Every structure is written in C-alpha cells, then in structure tokens.
Amino acid sequence: MKILVINCGSSSLKYQFIDIETETVLAKGLVERIGIDGRLKHTPAGKDAVVKEESIPDHNKAVSMVIEALTDPEHGVISDMKEIDAVGHRIVHGGEKFASSVVINDEVIAAIEECCDLAPLHNPANLIGIHACQELMPGTPMVAVFDTSFHQTMPEKAYTYGIPYEYYEKYKVRRYGFHGTSHRYVSGRVAAILGKPIEDLKIVVCHLGNGASVCAVKNGESVDTSMGLTPLEGLIMGTRSGDLDPAILQFIMNKENLDIDGMLNVLNKKSGILGVSNGISSDFREIENAYAAGDPAAKRANDAFVYRVVKYIGAYAAAMNGIDAVAFTAGLGENNAKIRKEICDYLGYLGLKVDDEKNNVRGKEVVFSTEDSKVAALLVPTDEEMMIARDTASLVK
Ligand code: AMP
C-alpha cells in the first residue's frame, strides 16, 4: 500500500510518498509560495531533487503538481495516480473531538472546521489541503492525523488552567498540547530501543526544534505537555516566548503602545531565542557560533533555553514520580550534542549520567547515557510522516 502524506500550510505544502509495507519513502517534496508565485521541489528517493518554478495560484494547482511529479516518466515513482492508495493529512488542532486519527468524511470535516477557532492559522490551511485532494483524487480514502490527539489522555488536573471554569465550559479553554505525533513516535521508539514494554515506562520526550515542547509519557500515554491552548506556551522557542507572567502583556502594551495583535505578534515572532539574544538569530547554530565567540547575549539565550527545558523535566519527574528515560528529538535535539549534554548535566539528581563519546552523534538513534546511569538518555530522530502513513494505512485497510 502506498500512502501520500500531506502537511498543508497557508502558502506551502509538504509531502512524502511512502510504501507502507517496507516503510520506505519513495519521494518527498515541498511546494512553496502558493498564491504568490510558486515553486515545487521534488526529490525521488536516491535521486537528485528537481525544481519547477511556475505560477501556483492555489492549493488545487499545488496538489495537481504533486501528482504530476509523482507520475512523471522521468522523475516520478509511479506510473498512474491510481497507485496512490490513500492520503494522510496532518491536522494541527483536533480540539477535544479527536483522541485518535480518523477516516475523513463530511462529519469529520465539519468537526475540523469547528476547531478552526482554536487554530485560526493552521486548521483552515489543513482543510484547504483536504478539499484540494478530494477534488483531484475523488474516491481515494483520506485520513486525518492530529497534532493534539496524543495528548487527549492528559488528566483534568494537567489540562486545567487556573482561570474561571466557565471559560472551559463555554469556549473549551484548556491545555491541548501539540507535536503529539512526534511525541507518540519517539516514545514508542524509546520503548523498542530499550526493549521494554511502553506500559512499564515513564518517559520525557524533548521535541526541540524551532517550535519546541516537552511531553511526559507514562505507560504509553501523554500525561502532561508544555504547549497549551496554542503552541505559544511552555519552552523558550526559536521566536516564541513560551511561559511568562500574563500581566507582562498589559505592561508592555501600555509602554510600547501596542494592541493585542501587535503584542501577540511580538510573543510569537520576535521573542524566544531571537528576542532573548537581542536579535542574533532564532537558529541555534548562529547562537552557538556567537556563544563560542564569547557573545554574552548568545550565552544568555542558550542558558535560558536549557534552564527552561530542565525545569519542565523536573516538573514531569514529579508528576510521574520518577523518570526511566529522557529522549531528544527534532532539529536541535537531533543535531546539537552540546545542548543535550547541558540539559542532561542538570539531571544528575535523577541519577542520569552522559557518555560523552556516545553523545557525540547526530541524526541517528542512540542511547547516550552510561551503562550505570539510572535514567536512560536517548537521541531518537522523529518521523511524523511515517506515523501519519502508518495510521492512514491501518485505518483504510
Ligand atoms: P526544526 O524546527 O526541527 O527544523 O529545528 C530547527 C532548529 O534545529 C534550529 O535552531 C537549528 O539550529 C537546529 N538544527 C537543525 N538542523 C541542524 C543541523 N544539521 N545542525 C545543527 N543544528 C540544526
């Protein structure tokens, strides 16, 4: 069975075409600048990428270009679009309606539409992707896989905010959490790598990318996570502030003469590593270089980022009454040994010890704690697309 995995944004569309029997990626690509001008980069497995620049006015055109690329006699990997057995769509927000992936039908689409309120930037774009695929591939089964659904197992005490309960009753204001597909994949791999049933493990997954979140996984279920109603809460991220005193908003708005949209723009796009480093970069590679050159702003950003992650791990050790494993994933978690080491060095109180040689890797699965470490430390490259393809295959079979 061959699955097309689609991650649709407002002006971009990422895709992977996966053979689920062998779990191999046959091709992947990215359509960018939809509605602006248009560019498709298509990479068949084992071959060079091909780039096509032409007008892409809407997502229908983007999807039709993806189908063309997949069936192209030269760069394609199938001869007919009928070989696309199913499509898996990444959907950002499933609210409380979806605790697992589902086959898409009219009812599901209506429910995703109802969640647009909770993710006004993402869900409408995800829906456009679904509609475009339905139009161009009528009759092909489709599945929705939600960033939020893994966290629906969180207990009430973890998802409840300290605000009047009527806001939950009226508007469903609560913690939802994101990166669920990644946290699910990585925690599953941790159990497999350690050779233990996931039902017996307490795992903290640190998804450290430009967007970053930590998740407490107990007995295979998410019991807490750092992102909230939106992805703005929690860790200090590339450009997002993460946690802060809510009264800061009014204070800065008054001083800087900002309205609430302007303030949220600052918190989403100008804060985090970028803001704390006084504008060096949102990319940790540049922070590292500046830090190595002795820049105190880079050190400040680095240290504040690490400290926030460490505080969350401590909180989740308390929430789960201990930790068996800490796993690192996403751009920074997979590629930055120094950050992994700095975080783990705070965790000596848990009995975690790093083997520096084993930690000196990037982008591959490894247990990098010492043999006698009481808590296992792991690097696990995430694979959200494979998870989406697996869910899609199992639901449409
Ligand atoms: P992501 O959002 O998962 O792509 O992660 C972005 C972050 O990961 C940035 O801060 C990058 O500095 C870091 N990152 C991504 N790829 C690499 C790499 N190959 N080497 C070092 N850092 C990387």
Side-chain angles (χ1 to χ4, degrees):
M1 185 182 264
K2 296 190 182 83
I3 312 283
L4 177 59
V5 175
I6 299 262
N7 181 354
C8 194
S10 57
S11 67
S12 69
L13 187 156
K14 276 189 233 161
Y15 64 94
Q16 283 198 11
F17 191 53
I18 293 174
D19 182 335
I20 202 67
E21 268 81 37
T22 54
E23 295 214 332
T24 47
V25 178
L26 303 173
K28 60 181 166 187
L30 170 67
V31 190
E32 288 175 292
R33 303 181 62 83
I34 302 169
I36 306 164
D37 36 35
R39 180 177 192 270
L40 173 137
K41 185 177 175 189
H42 174 77
T43 314
K47 292 191 192 161
D48 288 340
V50 279
V51 174
K52 217 171 169 185
E53 277 174 7
E54 66 177 70
S55 166
I56 308 180
D58 55 30
H59 288 75
N60 278 33
K61 173 72 179 170
V63 172
S64 71
M65 284 178 73
V66 172
I67 296 170
E68 268 168 40
L70 290 172
T71 53
D72 184 87
E74 206 179 328
H75 315 291
V77 290
I78 47 176
S79 52
D80 192 296
M81 67 179 267
K82 288 198 187 81
E83 289 177 58
I84 303 173
D85 294 301
V87 183
H89 291 270
R90 178 196 178 198
I91 310 294
V92 167
H93 218 307
E96 285 186 329
K97 292 175 197 298
F98 299 103
S100 58
S101 305
V102 283
V103 175
I104 295 173
N105 57 26
D106 290 348
E107 219 175 294
V108 167
I109 289 177
I112 297 172
E113 268 164 14
E114 278 175 41
C115 297
C116 282
D117 214 15
L118 295 168
L121 296 179
H122 294 103
N123 273 31
N126 300 157
L127 281 163
I128 290 172
I130 293 176
H131 290 307
C133 289
Q134 282 183 325
E135 212 167 302
L136 292 155
M137 290 177 262
T140 305
M142 306 207 185
V143 166
V145 180
F146 302 89
D147 273 20
T148 49
S149 61
F150 181 59
H151 302 299
Q152 280 296 301
T153 46
M154 272 188 291
E156 188 180 41
K157 63 187 174 190
Y159 70 68
T160 300
Y161 286 121
I163 55 175
Y165 192 64
E166 63 178 297
Y167 298 136
Y168 170 66
E169 291 176 312
K170 286 200 281 192
Y171 313 121
K172 296 284 172 211
V173 174
R174 51 159 284 179
R175 176 181 312 286
Y176 289 97
F178 298 87
H179 294 140
T181 310
S182 176
H183 290 303
R184 179 159 60 109
Y185 175 84
V186 172
S187 53
R189 287 303 307 153
V190 167
I193 295 164
L194 297 179
K196 292 187 178 154
I198 197 160
E199 293 76 20
D200 295 347
L201 288 171
K202 298 168 186 169
I203 304 167
V204 175
V205 179
C206 305
H207 179 112
L208 308 179
N210 192 31
S213 70
V214 189
C215 181
V217 183
K218 190 176 182 184
N219 310 335
E221 292 184 339
S222 168
V223 292
D224 206 347
T225 191
S226 58
M227 284 179 167
L229 174 78
T230 76
L232 186 53
E233 193 182 347
L235 302 180
I236 294 175
M237 308 180 212
T239 62
R240 294 185 206 133
S241 64
D243 299 338
L244 80 177
D245 177 349
I248 290 173
L249 274 70
Q250 186 193 38
F251 188 85
I252 295 177
M253 284 162 73
N254 287 341
K255 298 274 184 207
E256 296 275 320
N257 200 17
L258 287 170
D259 63 9
I260 191 67
D261 288 343
M263 188 68 241
L264 279 172
N265 189 47
V266 170
L267 296 179
N268 273 305
K269 306 226 169 99
K270 297 182 182 167
S271 299
I273 292 300
L274 175 68
V276 178
S277 70
N278 227 348
I280 294 175
S281 177
S282 63
D283 190 309
F284 233 89
R285 283 167 282 204
E286 286 173 48
I287 298 295
E288 254 198 307
N289 291 341
Y291 186 176
D295 188 326
K299 176 168 166 40
R300 178 173 64 232
N302 180 93
D303 293 355
F305 174 85
V306 167
Y307 184 67
R308 182 74 58 89
V309 176
V310 166
K311 283 215 293 189
Y312 267 99
I313 296 172
Y316 293 162
M320 296 194 287
N321 191 24
I323 299 177
D324 298 306
V326 181
F328 294 85
T329 195
L332 195 53
E334 292 170 26
N335 292 294
N336 195 318
K338 180 170 164 286
I339 286 287
R340 289 195 300 268
K341 164 83 173 153
E342 281 184 37
I343 292 168
C344 289
D345 278 352
Y346 271 96
L347 306 178
Y349 72 98
L350 290 169
L352 194 156
K353 287 190 225 160
V354 171
D355 181 324
D356 290 334
E357 219 165 287
K358 289 184 187 157
N359 185 37
N360 191 21
V361 288
R362 55 173 68 206
K364 66 173 195 186
E365 287 185 350
V366 65
V367 180
F368 64 89
S369 43
T370 59
E371 297 281 331
D372 63 340
S373 180
K374 290 205 179 79
V375 174
L378 297 94
L379 190 177
V380 179
T382 195
D383 198 342
E384 292 163 278
E385 289 79 10
M386 192 58 74
M387 208 72 205
I388 294 172
R390 281 183 197 161
D391 279 9
T392 304
S394 72
L395 281 168
V396 304
K397 249 176 201 161

